[in-house]
Amino acid sequence: MMKQRRIGAAVAAGAALTLAVAGCSAQSGGDAGNGEPVELEFMAWVPGIEKPIELWNEQNPDIQVNFTRMPNGEETSVKISSSVAAGNAPCLAQLAGTLTAGFVANGYLEDLSEYTADIESQFLPWTWAAYSFGDASYGIPQDTGPMVMYYRTDVYEDLGLTPPATWDEYAEQAATIHEANPEMYGAFIGTNDPSGFASFAAQKGTEWTSVDGESWRVAVDSPETVEVAEYWQGLLDDGVATAGPRYDPSFFKLLTDSTLVNYVGAAWNAGLISSNVADQAGNWAVAQMPTWGDGVTANNGGSAVGVLKGCDHIEEAVEFATWLNTSEESWNFMANPDEGGSLYPAAIDALEYPVFDEPNEFFGGQVLGDAFAESASSVEGYWAWGPSANETLTAFRDGLADVSQGRSTLPQIVDDAQTATVDAMEERGLSVVTD
């Protein structure tokens, strides 16, 4: 079993910040032992998740789930914080991976380890580790974002290129593409969502935050991260890469205008690309992301379902969350690009469900599930987002905007993010060590 992060002592170090929730009761009702159905409140942001919930309710009259839609992970986080503090939190909530360590440190989540010993093996080890701290488990993994390279087959064929296997080849091809057409780029780095850069660093084998005894170890400026920063800064300095916001109209215009002819991104990007450049159907394909020569890929994004502090029906909540995140019936909805969230599962058996074997017309009839499964199986280690993830990401987001304007460099903003992360943790009263 993959080693788990030891967080207990570090959480204790921030005990002054932990909410006093012992007397709080999360919103739930009924008692199956008295003949009344158990009612569980659940909030999440996945498109179309109402349909598997409706199916569960039809099949499980003794455990009924009442759903509240949230617009996104950020607003769900705010709701988790305020509702636990007020003692009226729902039993269940979707958790963004970037925020889970902070929720644990603040005492917002129930430890599920008593109920999950028999289900841990159903999930990719690195996804389980992302929501486990020491001997405690705080979330049932739902989806992942194994990274691949989306690319324009027509452009690559015209230039005699095949998808790069390594980042060195990627850089060489970026130069070739830009030399062939100065208005065209074969490399891109997002400036409004630093999680992409974080994933590239994770692929190198680094970990920005981890627990070291009773302290948090912060290594945002690790040698691996600096090497990744220098690599991308070199592409920008050479003029063969472009930078800008991800997933906003300007990004999709780059694709529409054939200014950007590849993109290294998560499995869930497939639906975004196909829906925004529909007229390019048949001219896109998916390949494995470039590696550093070791075959290791990376993950970008993902979530879990957690049980909030004070829930009266933890066992039933875990039962529902496990079904939601593992059953074929549920994934037939959640993976649907038209009616669901176009999600990719963390559950091992779910990777083989027929819904992931369907050819994708936009991508030339390619079975994308095969590419995603190959990438997911090549992710190693785990990524530890610490309790100050928001400050880390903000420092990178602000710095990347400056990088895109030539006012800073990626190695410089790595140093700035290290400082911001350490400062934020120390302001929370946490003990911090650095290399």
Side-chain angles (χ1 to χ4, degrees):
M1 182 179 70
M2 182 177 296
K3 71 176 182 178
Q4 305 293 300
R5 280 170 276 138
R6 301 290 169 185
I7 194 173
V11 171
L17 298 165
T18 303
L19 293 179
V21 295
C24 299
S25 177
Q27 291 296 304
S28 57
D31 186 343
N34 294 330
E36 297 179 5
V38 169
E39 293 190 11
L40 304 172
E41 303 294 328
F42 175 37
M43 61 182 180
W45 63 85
V46 174
I49 201 171
E50 293 90 342
K51 293 188 176 181
I53 293 173
E54 290 172 3
L55 182 60
W56 165 271
N57 286 338
E58 291 174 3
Q59 297 177 353
N60 298 271
D62 292 337
I63 306 175
Q64 295 290 286
V65 177
N66 302 315
F67 177 68
T68 299
R69 171 159 297 287
M70 300 299 293
N72 51 51
E74 195 169 302
E75 293 198 29
T76 303
S77 169
V78 173
K79 183 66 173 179
I80 288 173
S81 302
S82 62
S83 62
V84 172
N88 59 5
C91 260
L92 292 153
Q94 188 175 1
L95 307 175
T98 52
L99 302 174
T100 302
F103 292 156
V104 173
N106 287 330
Y108 296 165
L109 301 177
E110 294 282 0
D111 175 11
L112 308 180
S113 55
E114 178 183 348
Y115 309 92
T116 57
D118 295 334
I119 67 173
E120 176 180 348
S121 62
Q122 298 180 40
F123 298 88
L124 294 165
W126 54 271
T127 66
W128 191 268
Y131 303 95
S132 298
F133 303 87
D135 296 324
S137 299
Y138 292 96
I140 309 300
Q142 183 170 91
D143 66 303
T144 67
M147 297 182 78
V148 294
M149 191 179 92
Y150 301 92
Y151 70 101
R152 283 279 298 274
T153 54
D154 53 340
V155 174
Y156 273 63
E157 289 171 3
D158 288 346
L159 296 176
L161 301 175
T162 57
T166 67
W167 284 111
D168 286 343
E169 293 176 6
Y170 179 85
E172 294 170 1
Q173 291 188 3
T176 298
I177 291 168
H178 194 60
E179 182 178 354
N181 182 347
E183 301 299 319
M184 188 178 289
Y185 292 91
F188 174 88
I189 187 163
T191 58
N192 64 333
D193 182 1
S195 68
F197 179 80
S199 294
F200 295 146
Q203 185 188 21
K204 256 294 191 182
T206 190
E207 188 177 10
W208 285 354
T209 52
S210 59
V211 172
D212 186 349
E214 296 184 357
S215 302
W216 280 96
R217 178 169 294 278
V218 178
V220 178
D221 60 351
S222 69
E224 295 87 353
T225 303
V226 172
E227 186 175 346
V228 172
E230 290 174 343
Y231 171 87
W232 281 98
Q233 188 62 49
L235 295 182
L236 292 169
D237 291 344
D238 291 342
V240 300
T242 186
R246 294 202 302 179
Y247 318 135
D248 79 348
S250 65
F251 172 77
F252 293 114
K253 189 174 189 302
L254 292 176
L255 303 183
T256 301
D257 295 345
S258 299
T259 300
L260 182 63
V261 297
N262 72 44
Y263 179 63
V264 180
W268 45 268
N269 294 153
L272 293 174
I273 293 173
S274 62
S275 62
N276 282 278
V277 291
D279 60 340
Q280 295 177 1
N283 287 330
W284 283 86
V286 174
Q288 291 302 290
M289 74 177 298
T291 74
W292 295 105
D294 54 7
V296 175
T297 57
N299 182 76
N300 182 235
S303 65
V305 177
V307 179
L308 301 189
K309 183 65 72 172
C311 178
D312 293 329
H313 300 288
I314 299 177
E315 184 174 4
E316 291 87 350
V318 169
E319 181 182 350
F320 163 72
T322 302
W323 175 88
L324 179 72
N325 294 348
T326 62
S327 75
E328 183 173 358
E329 295 170 307
S330 176
W331 277 104
N332 284 338
F333 290 108
M334 292 199 294
N336 190 304
D338 299 319
E339 300 180 6
S342 192
L343 300 186
Y344 193 71
I348 296 171
D349 287 348
L351 301 175
E352 305 297 328
Y353 289 157
V355 68
F356 298 107
D357 291 333
E358 297 176 0
N360 189 297
E361 293 184 8
F362 177 87
F363 290 96
Q366 185 177 0
V367 177
L368 301 189
D370 292 343
F372 299 154
E374 181 178 350
S375 177
S377 66
S378 299
V379 175
E380 292 187 359
Y382 50 72
W383 185 252
W385 285 108
S388 297
N390 276 339
E391 287 82 0
T392 307
L393 292 170
T394 297
F396 269 106
R397 189 178 296 111
D398 293 344
L400 284 167
D402 288 337
V403 169
S404 68
Q405 299 297 319
R407 296 191 297 263
S408 186
T409 66
L410 281 162
Q412 178 59 54
I413 68 172
V414 166
D415 288 341
D416 295 342
Q418 169 77 8
T419 300
T421 304
V422 171
D423 289 348
M425 286 192 181
E426 291 180 341
E427 287 174 4
R428 285 174 167 79
L430 301 174
S431 173
V432 178
V433 294
T434 60
D435 294 326

